[in-house]
Amino acid sequence: MDVGGRPTLDEIEDRFVELLAGRLSRGEGDRWAARWVLEDGIVWDDLSWWALNCLHGIDLPAGGGGGYLHDDEQVKAWLAELRERRAR
């Protein structure tokens, strides 16, 4: 957490890693991100806001066929994009 009590970009990235490793459920990841996305009065940098919004809704079902709207490949792509954007 930063001095304002918000998660750092490292902590946000860790949620993607933990989710892909199976140590964090999609429901847990969604609820964690939702707490921050729905909190009023917090000013986020663009990258943190984007990443939190990717995590919020990570547990949405794909429909009648099962699975998730955003599969593991999409989550891996988001993590790669987050890392790429951090490196700039």
Side-chain angles (χ1 to χ4, degrees):
M1 298 285 170
D2 69 8
V3 293
R6 299 175 305 195
T8 64
L9 201 46
D10 285 339
E11 290 170 306
I12 296 168
E13 182 178 332
D14 284 346
R15 292 305 189 278
F16 283 98
V17 172
E18 295 295 306
L19 198 146
L20 289 168
R23 294 186 293 265
L24 181 73
S25 74
R26 285 176 174 258
E28 291 168 326
D30 171 70
R31 287 187 300 276
W32 181 85
R35 183 237 190 268
W36 299 108
V37 169
L38 301 174
E39 181 75 27
D40 287 335
I42 298 178
V43 177
W44 296 96
D45 64 88
D46 290 341
L47 185 54
S48 294
W49 185 244
W50 171 81
L52 284 169
N53 276 281
C54 288
L55 285 170
H56 182 43
I58 198 80
D59 62 343
L60 292 172
Y68 295 101
L69 180 61
H70 305 290
D71 63 13
D72 286 350
E73 290 305 311
Q74 178 67 62
V75 177
K76 287 177 190 174
W78 284 336
L79 176 58
E81 183 175 347
L82 173 61
R83 287 175 169 165
E84 179 183 320
R85 290 173 67 180
R86 287 188 81 179
R88 291 183 199 162

